[in-house]
Amino acid sequence: MTVVAPFDRFRMLQHYRLISLIPLAAIILLLPLLFSSAYYYRVAALVFIFAIATLGLNLLMGFAGQVSLGHAGFMGIGAYAVTIGPTHFGIPPLFSFLLGAIFSALVAFVVGRPILRLKEHYLAVATLGFGVLLAIVFTNEASWTGGPDGMTVPGLTLLNWSVRSASSWYWISAVSFLLGAALALNLVDSPTGRALHAIHDSEIAARVLGVDVAQQKLIIFVVSAVYGSIAGSYFGLINGYITPDVSSFLRSIELVAMVVLGGMGSVIGSLVGAAVLVILPQALTLFHDYEHIVLGLIVMSVMVFLRRGIVPSLAAAFGGRRE
Amino acid sequence: MMENLRLAAALGVGLATALATGPVSAQVKVGAVLSVSGPASFLGDPEKKTLDIYVEDINAKGGFNGQKLQLVLYDDGGDANAARTFATRLVEEDKIVAMVGGTTTGTTMAMIPVFEDAQIPFISLAGAIEIIQPVRNWVFKTPHTDRMACEKIFADLKRRNLTKVALISGTDAFGHSMRDQCISVAPAANIAIAEVENYGPGDSDMTPQLTKIKATPGIQAVINTGFGQGPAIVTRNYRQLGIEYPFYQSHGVASKQYISLAGSAADGVRLPAAALLVADKLPDNDQQKPVVVAYKNTFEVKTGQAVSTFGGHAYDGLMILAAAAKRAGSFDKAKVRDEIERTRGYVGTGGIVNMSPTDHLGLDLSAFRMLEIREGDWTLVPDSGS
Amino acid sequence: MAEFLQFVFSGLTVGAIYALVAIGFTLIYNASDVVNFAQGEFVMLGGMTTVFLGYAGVPLPLAAIAAVLVTTAIGLVLYRFAIATASGADAVTLIIITIGASIFLRGTAEVVFDKRFHSLPPLLDSDPISVGGAAILPQSLVVLAGAAIIVLLLWVVIDRTLFGKAVIATSANRIAARLVGIDTRVIVGACFALSAAIGAIAGILITPITLTSYNAGTLLALKGFAAVMLGGIGSAVGAMVGGILLGLLEALAAGYLSASYKDAVAFLVILCVLFAMPQGLFGKTKVERV
């Protein structure tokens, strides 16, 4: 695998690190000025929710170089956690949310060790199977999950404040993304991050240098699972209803498309990729018959012409090389 | 760093412009969120076509209380999340006065909170009984419930002195939900369900499941709940294995497509369905005959496709809404809602509708007819109750 | 015993379908290291195009040939405008391109055709054949035979013709192949075209059993991909065996365990096989040069 510009960007981020998030924070604060109704808040909230999941997958695919076609499975775990916890066990939603994240991490830990030994296409099919398996469980265990029809998600109440409106979810998801991005940038700059850089470059060389490849990959897999779970929980809570296709194969492919469109290895790219895929169906309602055609064309064109994804390619075009 | 800023700004502007809808006009807007594409397009496509045809028809005849009607229609692709977003859009951006839509139970349930909060009347086109039970102020529905389908089938079984049955269901929402209803209603109807099997909606061979049913002793009839291509394949497999027990389908296959896909294997299959499917064969004194014949002819001429009960439910929803608005004399959402609830004696494609504060569907078992497929066409089973 | 036989027949029916789809993946992968997720769409296009040409009045045999030609052309266009233009891109990018292509083709089919389900008449008789108390459809045997014939033909082409040698050379080392004068772009393009044709033929053969619609390709691609990995990617025989095995696993799981979880059981078995034999049943062990 050739090492190209994603890691120029990587080096750039190393210097700017958290400072590069300040413009993003500014955008998040100012964006609501453009919102004329709850509808915009909702779409923006969904963008940030998917951006969180995409960021997790990006850590796995972009930084660690591991393909996953089943990431939506972790979103499903998070979503059903905040549903099943309060409904069947009387656990408050906030606590269920945390339990979902912990459970996702556990599942990732258990499943990760054997699966991550596989490479490329074999890893792809294994993660695919994982996602499909979870979707099947969610569909079939109707007494727990409400079956294919889905289930109502009880509302979230924080200290007497009922979190219901789209604007509340906008702030929650946007700030969460910001925190998640900061964490990701920190991770990338840490010893784990450097180890991942080495692994992505050449696993064998990394092993020769003493990097515990299996453990590093597992750490990233667990981290990406937690991001996915958090996004899934928010997804269930903002909609108040969840169906098993939150974990479907198509959702996993959507997440991969978001990562690749925005730019593998780019934190901001995760946001851009999520934005494109969430906003597109809304923008194309006049041509809803042609939505898939346009989406397919966009994915192909970006991959062919802006091969590294939107953000890194544009960055290279505008910013040129730094350092 | 700078291109981050530029990029994000472009994103924000792009977001705002992409979502900009047209200028708010003085027309009356009725919203519809249907699953025109995706796994439920079998249902959503005729629903959309019906709404398009009849909104145009209403406008040609002068409109809603003298005002032109504008149908704002979005395609959710069968995805509950997308449906919810479109519902929010209809309420916040398009400012609709009423909503006819929600092709599937999942999409309907996801949208209900939006319309309940906004206090906008919502007539759903989905099947599950949980949409109207418990009764919600602003939510109504036109299709028969899956529970009624079970009850109708069980009544027919009793008439034929059959009491021990097997169920084979698709794991899609419709098949699963009706399976649950049948299991819960069976004891009261003195029907014993001896074997339950499942198949995935995309599967291409159900002979293993049918083999197990064939091997279960004492089975006297088999019921298949599901929709889409599954039931057609199950029907073919049924004949392939030479199973001879009476075979029942659900109203999920109430369209000629099923017959053409299942071929000669469909002969002798019985199912509960709306009178719409046998429009021309109804006795002349049947109250529903004029309505269903008119709808069938209009739909078939304008679309070139055979009529299906799913389109019929959309027709009923729109007409009930129109009649309610007329009685209310205005588009005040609360008044329209009250009038929908007061719908009495409305003759539709699905049956005769009598709503009440405790019944937001308004159909009883007589709205379902028991049909049998013979030589590639629907026929009414005689003595099955009107 | 009759029950077991019936489950086996069901497994063979479904397995033959998966095998035919899986074989299509193999050829493109061998030539270019690309897993073509649009393969499912080629299968769908073969079936749907034949159906709609039939509706338009074209006699079915002609419609079938036309459908194969149309799909082959689409395969070539996909190669020329998407894959070849992105030459030099890494494996993940190419996979995403094929995923984008599959979405595009599905969207186009939705608009050009319609959203309903369709069928084709079976090639032979539609009466099931009774063996030992179990019934198998003649069409299932046609599909199995079709898969076997295609594998055989592929073997003949790859092993016995100059073109085949060129394909082997291209897959072994693209630069070296170019150095000896092989136009790798033509070779890979031809493989795409051939895979599209195989997919279209598969679609025509399986539609009498599975029915078809504009989104039939997705599930087929998923199962076909799983089958190919089970058998070991790169081997046509592996693809066929993988497909049949997958079908048998599903049918036996549906018959003896739980029909709701049959897909899950099949995937679990695949995962176990991959943990034990990471290159699949018939795949070549990859030697990674440092």
Side-chain angles (χ1 to χ4, degrees):
Chain A
M1 200 164 268
T2 45
V3 178
V4 197
F7 295 98
D8 287 329
R9 182 146 188 83
F10 170 73
R11 248 166 278 168
M12 200 171 78
L13 286 172
Q14 261 183 300
H15 290 265
Y16 290 88
R17 228 211 295 173
L18 300 182
I19 304 180
S20 69
L21 290 181
I22 291 182
L24 179 61
I27 303 291
I28 291 176
L29 278 170
L30 297 173
L31 209 50
L33 295 175
L34 293 169
F35 293 169
S36 54
S37 78
Y39 169 62
Y40 292 96
Y41 276 109
R42 179 179 159 87
V43 175
L46 284 173
V47 168
F48 281 110
I49 289 175
F50 277 101
I52 295 173
T54 306
L55 184 52
L57 185 58
N58 210 340
L59 284 170
L60 187 65
M61 281 181 69
F63 291 105
Q66 307 297 305
V67 162
S68 171
L69 295 181
H71 203 67
F74 293 117
M75 278 189 78
I77 294 180
Y80 276 99
V82 288
T83 316
I84 294 177
T87 312
H88 290 294
F89 295 109
I91 305 175
L94 192 59
F95 204 49
S96 301
F97 165 71
L98 288 168
L99 281 177
I102 294 174
F103 187 63
S104 282
L106 262 161
V107 169
F109 186 77
V110 167
V111 166
R113 269 237 174 233
I115 277 189
L116 290 168
R117 272 195 276 135
L118 301 168
K119 305 265 186 304
E120 292 182 0
H121 302 120
Y122 297 96
L123 176 61
V125 84
T127 51
L128 182 89
F130 169 72
V132 167
L133 239 127
L134 276 173
I136 292 176
V137 169
F138 293 141
T139 307
N140 286 326
E141 294 308 311
S143 51
W144 290 106
T145 65
D149 260 335
M151 221 170 128
T152 315
V153 180
L156 177 67
T157 319
L158 292 174
L159 305 167
N160 264 337
W161 167 47
S162 172
V163 185
R164 292 200 58 188
S165 66
S167 56
S168 315
W169 281 107
Y170 170 75
W171 295 114
I172 294 178
S173 58
V175 169
S176 300
F177 178 74
L178 213 52
L179 289 173
L183 234 115
L185 288 173
N186 263 328
L187 189 72
V188 151
D189 201 35
S190 68
T192 301
R194 282 191 281 274
L196 288 173
H197 185 175
I199 292 171
H200 196 162
D201 202 348
S202 160
E203 257 189 57
I204 295 179
R207 220 178 269 142
V208 164
L209 287 172
V211 174
D212 186 346
V213 171
Q215 191 193 29
Q216 300 298 341
K217 285 204 262 187
L218 190 61
I219 291 176
I220 275 296
F221 192 56
V222 169
V223 169
S224 77
V226 171
Y227 273 72
S229 176
I230 291 174
S233 295
Y234 286 171
F235 185 68
L237 288 167
I238 190 178
N239 280 331
Y241 198 80
I242 192 71
T243 53
D245 53 329
V246 64
S247 286
S248 70
F249 171 60
L250 284 174
R251 272 264 188 261
S252 289
I253 295 295
E254 241 179 41
L255 288 174
V256 171
M258 290 179 192
V259 167
V260 174
L261 273 177
M264 287 220 278
S266 160
V267 166
I268 298 296
S270 310
L271 182 59
V272 170
V276 170
L277 283 173
V278 169
I279 296 176
L280 200 70
Q282 297 299 316
L284 286 179
T285 50
L286 288 173
F287 312 104
H288 57 77
D289 274 350
Y290 303 99
E291 184 193 316
H292 284 147
I293 296 181
V294 172
L295 179 63
L297 275 174
I298 290 181
V299 170
M300 281 195 288
S301 318
V302 170
M303 285 296 94
V304 170
F305 298 114
L306 295 175
R307 181 171 316 176
R308 293 182 250 121
I310 296 177
V311 172
S313 303
L314 288 181
F318 285 131
R321 284 202 155 216
R322 291 175 196 246
E323 300 259 335
Chain B
M1 188 162 96
M2 274 314 286
E3 62 289 336
N4 274 358
L5 185 63
R6 259 181 257 149
L7 209 57
L11 229 171
V13 172
L15 172 71
T17 36
L19 299 176
T21 48
V24 177
S25 74
Q27 289 181 322
V28 174
K29 293 195 185 168
V30 169
V33 178
L34 301 174
S35 306
V36 186
S37 63
S41 57
F42 192 61
L43 304 156
D45 192 50
E47 286 167 4
K48 168 180 188 293
K49 293 193 163 98
T50 302
L51 287 180
D52 282 339
I53 294 173
Y54 281 94
V55 165
E56 207 183 290
D57 189 60
I58 290 178
N59 281 342
K61 292 185 182 141
F64 240 24
N65 288 349
Q67 271 186 278
K68 291 279 185 206
L69 195 60
Q70 187 191 353
L71 182 67
V72 185
L73 193 147
Y74 294 122
D75 173 13
D76 59 33
D79 176 13
N81 176 54
R84 171 96 181 215
T85 305
F86 285 126
T88 309
R89 184 168 176 171
L90 283 173
V91 168
E92 301 280 335
E93 290 290 301
D94 300 302
K95 311 255 194 274
I96 56 168
V97 302
M99 157 87 170
V100 176
T103 305
T104 68
T105 303
T107 52
T108 298
M109 296 303 290
M111 292 194 283
I112 282 179
V114 176
F115 295 114
E116 284 278 307
D117 280 352
Q119 301 194 328
I120 290 181
F122 173 21
I123 302 184
S124 163
L125 305 179
I129 194 168
E130 58 178 318
I131 294 172
I132 44 151
Q133 223 178 63
V135 170
R136 297 174 178 81
N137 256 340
W138 299 88
V139 181
F140 304 82
K141 89 183 192 84
T142 50
H144 319 84
T145 65
D146 33 16
R147 176 177 292 183
M148 289 165 72
C150 293
E151 289 169 343
K152 192 77 180 179
I153 294 176
F154 289 158
D156 198 62
L157 284 169
K158 291 251 276 294
R159 242 190 308 276
R160 294 165 96 178
N161 282 323
L162 306 168
T163 52
K164 200 165 174 192
V165 302
L167 269 181
I168 175 168
S169 317
T171 54
D172 52 275
F174 178 87
H176 179 100
S177 163
M178 183 165 162
R179 181 196 83 160
D180 283 349
Q181 290 299 318
C182 285
I183 291 176
S184 82
V185 173
N190 285 322
I191 300 281
I193 299 183
E195 175 83 1
V196 178
E197 290 290 331
N198 291 329
Y199 59 88
D203 288 351
S204 30
D205 187 276
M206 285 52 136
T207 53
Q209 293 92 326
L210 287 172
T211 305
K212 288 205 277 188
I213 287 178
K214 193 175 174 188
T216 308
I219 300 280
Q220 296 173 308
V222 178
I223 304 174
N224 178 200
T225 70
F227 83 106
Q229 68 190 77
I233 296 180
V234 172
T235 309
R236 289 180 176 191
N237 289 159
Y238 200 80
R239 302 301 176 205
Q240 174 189 341
L241 292 181
I243 305 180
E244 301 194 337
Y245 317 128
F247 190 32
Y248 285 84
Q249 282 290 344
S250 71
H251 51 305
V253 303
S255 112
K256 269 282 170 64
Q257 266 268 285
Y258 164 71
I259 300 183
S260 72
L261 287 176
S264 59
D267 272 349
V269 170
R270 289 197 176 186
L271 68 151
L276 179 57
L277 291 183
V278 285
D280 299 319
K281 302 193 179 86
L282 292 170
D284 286 333
N285 60 357
D286 189 305
Q287 263 190 297
Q288 277 190 277
K289 187 159 184 178
V291 176
V292 296
V293 168
Y295 172 69
K296 176 174 147 100
N297 291 337
T298 311
F299 186 86
E300 291 184 346
V301 163
K302 290 236 165 124
T303 67
Q305 285 175 359
V307 79
S308 75
T309 53
F310 316 117
H313 298 316
Y315 171 84
D316 288 344
L318 185 62
M319 292 307 157
I320 289 178
L321 179 63
K326 194 163 174 196
R327 290 197 298 274
S330 80
F331 297 107
D332 178 80
K333 299 171 191 135
K335 290 202 184 125
V336 171
R337 184 218 85 89
D338 290 341
E339 285 305 327
I340 296 177
E341 205 174 58
R342 289 193 197 117
T343 304
R344 291 269 188 283
Y346 162 74
V347 182
T349 66
I352 302 179
V353 179
N354 292 301
M355 297 218 197
S356 79
T358 51
D359 182 0
H360 277 193
L361 166 62
L363 293 174
D364 64 19
L365 269 188
S366 69
F368 256 148
R369 316 297 178 104
M370 187 53 71
L371 304 182
E372 185 173 309
I373 300 176
R374 280 186 201 282
E375 290 168 18
D377 202 4
W378 316 102
T379 62
L380 264 172
V381 171
D383 301 328
S384 59
S386 72
Chain C
M1 184 56 202
E3 270 170 52
F4 173 72
L5 208 54
Q6 190 62 57
F7 298 148
V8 168
F9 284 165
S10 168
L12 285 176
T13 302
V14 175
I17 293 168
Y18 296 155
L20 261 183
V21 178
I23 293 168
F25 277 107
T26 311
L27 195 55
I28 291 183
Y29 179 79
N30 268 339
S32 63
D33 274 346
V34 171
V35 173
N36 175 25
F37 273 99
Q39 189 65 29
E41 261 50 54
F42 291 151
V43 175
M44 177 273 293
L45 283 172
M48 288 290 271
T49 313
T50 312
V51 165
F52 274 79
L53 283 176
Y55 288 159
V58 179
L60 280 182
L62 279 178
I65 296 175
V68 172
L69 288 172
V70 166
T71 312
T72 310
I74 293 177
L76 268 172
V77 169
L78 169 63
Y79 171 69
R80 174 67 188 81
F81 286 107
I83 308 290
T85 323
S87 66
D90 63 18
V92 181
T93 308
L94 290 171
I95 291 179
I96 304 292
I97 293 180
T98 62
I99 290 179
S102 99
I103 298 175
F104 174 73
L105 288 171
R106 196 178 345 134
T108 313
E110 195 178 357
V111 169
V112 169
F113 300 131
D114 68 12
K115 299 186 177 90
R116 305 192 296 167
F117 294 102
H118 302 277
S119 180
L120 282 173
L123 212 58
L124 302 171
D125 201 9
S126 43
D127 283 333
I129 303 171
S130 195
V131 177
I136 189 165
L137 286 172
Q139 191 69 19
S140 310
L141 297 173
V142 169
V143 176
L144 268 172
I149 292 175
I150 290 179
V151 170
L152 192 65
L153 281 174
L154 268 181
W155 177 78
V156 165
V157 165
I158 301 285
D159 220 53
R160 294 289 156 99
T161 66
L162 200 57
F163 169 76
K165 296 277 188 267
V167 173
I168 297 176
T170 310
S171 82
N173 187 325
R174 189 174 288 199
I175 297 180
R178 261 204 226 120
L179 282 175
V180 296
I182 296 175
D183 188 344
T184 51
R185 288 179 72 140
V186 167
I187 297 296
V188 178
C191 286
F192 262 81
L194 208 50
S195 270
I198 293 175
I201 295 173
I204 296 169
L205 289 179
I206 70 178
T207 298
I209 301 177
T210 65
L211 308 180
T212 185
S213 67
Y214 79 95
N215 60 0
T218 316
L219 188 63
L220 285 172
L222 208 146
K223 295 283 174 80
F225 180 53
V228 125
M229 300 322 284
L230 176 62
I233 197 157
S235 159
V237 171
M240 179 152 177
V241 170
I244 294 179
L245 261 175
L246 182 60
L248 282 170
L249 275 169
E250 280 186 13
L252 291 171
Y256 291 119
L257 296 171
S258 147
S260 317
Y261 280 101
K262 65 169 169 60
D263 289 344
V265 169
F267 264 111
L268 273 169
V269 173
I270 292 179
L271 285 176
C272 293
V273 169
L274 286 179
F275 292 149
M277 304 174 67
Q279 68 280 9
L281 294 171
F282 288 85
K284 308 168 194 83
T285 337
K286 240 193 165 171
V287 176
E288 201 179 339
R289 290 185 178 278
V290 185

